[in-house]
Amino acid sequence: MEVMKRFNTAGTCRPNEHYMVDITERLAIIRKMVANGDYFCINRGRQYGKTTTLSNLKNYLEDAGYCVFSISFEKVDKTYFSAPLSTGAIFLRLLSICVRRNKVRNLDENCAELLLSFQERHAEGCTIFDVSEFLIQICGNNSCPIVLFIDEVDQASEQESFLRLLGALRDMYLNRDEDPTFQSVILAGVYDIKNLKLKMRPEEQHQYNSPWNIAVPFNVDMSLSALGIKGMLDDYEADHNKGFNTSEVASWVRDYTGGYPFLVSRLCQLMDEQDDWSHEGLLNAVKVILNERNTLFDDMIKQIEQFPDLKSLLMDLLFSGEVRKYNPHNVTFQLAEQFNIINIYDDGTYSISSRIMETVIYEYFMSLEKESEIYTAGSIEKPQFIKGDGLDMPLLLRKFSEHFNEIFRTADGTMDSKFVEKHGRKQFQLYLRPIINGVGHYYVEAETRDETRTDLIINYNNHEYVIELKIWRGDSYNTKGENQLFEYLSLKKHKTGYLVSFCFNKGKTPGLLPSAEQDGRTIVEVIV
């Protein structure tokens, strides 16, 4: 009976069972690293396709004549690594299980028998030295090169006994001209084993040095491109004949997910379940994702709370547009990149890795805020802003200006400029939150964010509103801002945009300004 393929978000994706992006090009790059004898780490955030990559890479390498042992520490209790002799026994047992379950191709029969008998004799424990001597025998006697995968190394990476095992593998690598060893060893996990101090508490950092300094950088892009997503959707469309434009939908999916593999699959899975591949269907699927709990979001929030400097970095980026100078040696940047929370660009700038993740982080930070006056005002005023199934945005902006000035402008008409520059845009988002809560969401256009300008895109009942938030720097600067917004509206094919200018000028009257017109497009502007 033929199994109907489906989108998968639970576990490893298999080409014959699941709709998935073709990763052959990625596998070919990794195969070259294996052929070169490289040892390396595949470190990416949760559900970023590490296990799927290893699973497909195993078949790919086996077809090329390699013998591959693929083991995982996912189900190994951490306490097993605490006893001095247990780590070697666990490692041997995992290797033997692969043989007993016929999961190893291209392993000579005599090597398989040697492994099983050795493991049985040392089932209760053995030294790391014994293990390394045995591995030299196996690698030397097998007729083809042996490759080792170890997945979920985070489960054991802070255990000293596991680090000694890695140290033994390193020593074998360094002595490879004299004794046989693995052709390649690939570790996979969230944390980079070369930077264990990122995972440990500060008081523990001094205890261990990395035993894996032989690893070469793994710079393979594992995000999913729009072209790759299109290929997956072409496969789906060939089976289901839904009649949608796969190129267009792939572009939308890529825009919202940043190519994060789990989010790509989940978005497509929801659109399939809703049987709606329109832009409206996409927005409905995004709304579902933003309101559900999953392992990816839970883990991301946990990391943000665990590392205060990371939290501060993200809050500055999201609410004040402050982009700190990127430094690859800065631990906070290493963490943000390692968890795939941010993307680093060639010019040293960075942004949240996807619109969906950015919105999740925004909403989480907003939920931590105490119910402020501006939030309460937005909640009270909400009914008058609802116009049909959309929003009366000019009225919303005018009322925000009134409330903001009532709350934050002093009796003599002045305003704390430092407060507004740092928190003004955040106050607008607080005002907006109860108005769109449960119906809409918003995200910041990463390409236009800086300390003086933020483009906020609001989706509400499938209506889209483009709002630029900026600090008033004078008439000429304001004109420049209008022109930038007109260009952006043209790019996004919108007829109307909105401009919110935070002004410290005592003589500038808050409220709506006359609309600006250009090439059939309109900008509604409010001074705050």
Side-chain angles (χ1 to χ4, degrees):
M1 179 179 176
E2 184 178 358
V3 178
M4 181 64 72
K5 290 172 71 172
R6 56 189 173 83
F7 293 104
N8 177 52
T9 56
T12 304
C13 290
R14 301 176 176 83
N16 60 329
E17 298 178 23
H18 306 125
Y19 294 112
M20 57 180 290
V21 171
D22 184 357
I23 61 172
T24 303
E25 184 177 349
R26 181 192 308 170
L27 300 181
I29 296 172
I30 301 176
R31 177 184 168 182
K32 289 182 180 179
M33 298 177 70
V34 170
N36 290 336
D38 292 337
Y39 284 35
F40 54 95
C41 313
I42 300 178
N43 300 111
R44 296 294 186 274
R46 298 292 180 197
Q47 298 175 288
Y48 208 86
K50 300 183 295 295
T51 302
T52 292
T53 295
L54 289 180
S55 176
N56 288 271
L57 178 63
K58 182 177 186 296
N59 294 328
Y60 189 80
L61 291 176
E62 288 173 336
D63 289 344
Y66 291 96
C67 172
V68 180
F69 280 89
S70 182
I71 64 175
S72 173
F73 288 153
E74 182 178 14
K75 296 180 181 179
V76 178
D77 193 306
K78 291 183 179 181
T79 59
Y80 292 152
F81 292 103
S82 59
L85 299 181
S86 62
T87 299
I90 292 169
F91 181 66
L92 290 172
R93 183 180 181 187
L94 291 173
L95 296 181
S96 67
I97 288 173
C98 292
V99 174
R100 288 193 176 94
R101 295 181 180 176
N102 296 315
K103 292 185 176 181
V104 186
R105 290 164 52 191
N106 305 327
L107 180 67
D108 295 349
E109 186 174 344
N110 64 314
C111 290
E113 292 174 354
L114 183 63
L115 170 60
L116 294 177
S117 62
F118 188 86
Q119 188 272 326
E120 288 172 359
R121 293 198 307 272
H122 297 84
E124 299 303 318
C126 60
T127 67
I128 297 300
F129 176 79
D130 292 332
V131 172
S132 60
E133 287 299 304
F134 167 73
L135 294 176
I136 289 173
Q137 292 184 55
I138 292 291
C139 293
N141 290 330
N142 202 55
S143 58
C144 64
I146 301 179
V147 178
L148 173 65
F149 297 171
I150 307 180
D151 197 7
E152 299 292 345
V153 293
D154 297 325
Q155 288 292 99
S157 60
E158 74 271 28
Q159 302 295 331
E160 187 176 2
S161 58
F162 172 66
L163 300 185
R164 284 200 294 268
L165 173 62
L166 291 187
L169 295 174
R170 178 195 59 195
D171 291 343
M172 291 170 63
Y173 172 84
L174 295 175
N175 295 319
R176 63 193 182 282
D177 291 338
E178 300 175 9
D179 295 314
T181 187
F182 292 108
Q183 171 69 19
S184 177
V185 176
I186 304 173
L187 309 181
V190 174
Y191 289 86
D192 188 342
I193 203 74
K194 294 183 296 181
N195 294 296
L196 292 174
K197 64 182 180 180
L198 299 185
K199 190 171 191 288
M200 297 177 182
R201 295 184 177 89
E203 63 270 18
E204 298 172 332
Q205 290 180 9
H206 67 283
Q207 293 183 13
Y208 308 120
N209 291 317
S210 172
W212 210 239
N213 51 14
I214 58 173
V216 302
F218 182 75
N219 297 320
V220 179
D221 184 2
M222 291 178 62
S223 67
L224 306 181
S225 68
L227 184 62
I229 297 170
K230 179 184 182 303
M232 175 180 66
L233 294 179
D234 286 339
D235 188 16
Y236 173 88
E237 178 63 12
D239 288 344
H240 297 274
N241 298 309
K242 297 295 182 179
F244 63 89
N245 185 323
T246 56
S247 179
E248 187 175 50
V249 174
S251 178
W252 296 339
V253 171
R254 169 69 191 188
D255 285 345
Y256 270 88
T257 64
Y260 203 112
F262 169 78
L263 295 177
V264 169
S265 294
R266 183 60 179 144
L267 206 51
C268 292
Q269 187 179 55
L270 288 167
M271 295 173 76
D272 175 45
E273 292 173 359
Q274 296 168 174
D275 195 21
D276 189 350
W277 293 90
S278 66
H279 194 259
E280 181 177 348
L282 173 98
L283 295 180
N284 287 333
V286 169
K287 189 187 301 183
V288 171
I289 291 177
L290 293 176
N291 286 287
E292 68 182 7
R293 286 194 62 180
N294 56 54
T295 304
L296 171 61
F297 295 160
D298 286 349
D299 187 72
M300 180 175 65
I301 298 303
K302 181 183 74 174
Q303 304 300 351
I304 290 173
E305 286 300 330
Q306 184 176 351
F307 298 99
D309 288 344
L310 174 61
K311 184 176 183 180
S312 176
L313 175 78
L314 296 175
M315 292 190 77
D316 287 344
L317 176 65
L318 293 179
F319 293 120
S320 61
E322 180 182 334
V323 181
R324 302 180 193 173
K325 183 174 177 57
Y326 170 71
N327 187 302
H329 305 294
N330 184 303
V331 172
T332 302
F333 282 111
Q334 291 177 21
L335 286 167
E337 193 172 13
Q338 189 165 271
F339 299 144
N340 288 102
I341 295 176
I342 65 172
N343 291 329
I344 308 291
Y345 305 109
D346 292 340
D347 62 357
T349 59
Y350 54 93
S351 66
I352 306 297
S353 59
S354 74
R355 292 179 183 176
I356 289 177
M357 290 181 71
E358 179 173 280
T359 304
V360 170
I361 297 171
Y362 257 125
E363 288 298 313
Y364 174 70
F365 284 158
M366 287 294 188
S367 71
L368 301 179
E369 294 288 326
K370 295 180 180 178
E371 192 167 301
S372 62
E373 288 185 74
I374 200 75
Y375 178 94
T376 302
S379 180
I380 293 172
E381 301 280 8
K382 174 180 178 176
Q384 64 180 309
F385 301 142
I386 310 303
K387 189 175 182 180
D389 61 353
L391 295 172
D392 186 338
M393 193 56 67
L395 178 60
L396 188 155
L397 298 182
R398 180 171 64 82
K399 297 298 289 185
F400 169 71
S401 175
E402 292 175 4
H403 290 299
F404 189 90
N405 281 279
E406 288 172 1
I407 296 170
F408 299 110
R409 196 175 289 273
T410 61
D412 64 357
T414 60
M415 189 178 293
D416 184 344
S417 60
K418 290 184 179 180
F419 169 82
V420 176
E421 289 204 49
K422 184 76 174 177
H423 302 290
R425 283 167 282 199
K426 182 179 181 180
Q427 297 303 319
F428 178 73
Q429 291 161 38
L430 282 170
Y431 186 76
L432 185 64
R433 189 169 187 260
I435 298 171
I436 66 171
N437 191 33
V439 179
H441 63 272
Y442 56 81
Y443 65 88
V444 172
E445 182 59 81
E447 296 175 1
T448 63
R449 177 201 277 118
D450 58 37
E451 292 186 31
T452 58
R453 175 187 178 198
T454 300
D455 285 330
L456 196 68
I457 316 298
I458 299 173
N459 286 306
Y460 185 89
N461 271 336
N462 303 314
H463 295 281
E464 195 166 81
Y465 304 92
V466 178
I467 304 175
E468 180 178 322
L469 308 172
K470 66 182 184 66
I471 305 299
W472 180 275
R473 305 291 190 197
D475 291 332
S476 60
Y477 180 84
N478 192 61
T479 300
K480 179 182 177 182
E482 289 178 349
N483 290 333
Q484 288 176 329
L485 183 53
F486 275 126
E487 290 175 7
Y488 187 75
L489 291 174
S490 177
L491 179 67
K492 295 294 184 180
K493 298 180 180 179
H494 278 277
K495 292 293 185 182
T496 305
Y498 303 89
L499 191 59
V500 178
S501 297
F502 293 93
C503 180
F504 320 126
N505 190 333
K506 184 176 178 181
K508 201 73 176 177
T509 304
L512 287 174
L513 297 180
S515 298
E517 305 283 344
Q518 188 181 104
D519 299 327
R521 291 182 169 82
T522 302
I523 292 178
V524 177
E525 183 174 1
V526 64
I527 297 292
V528 179

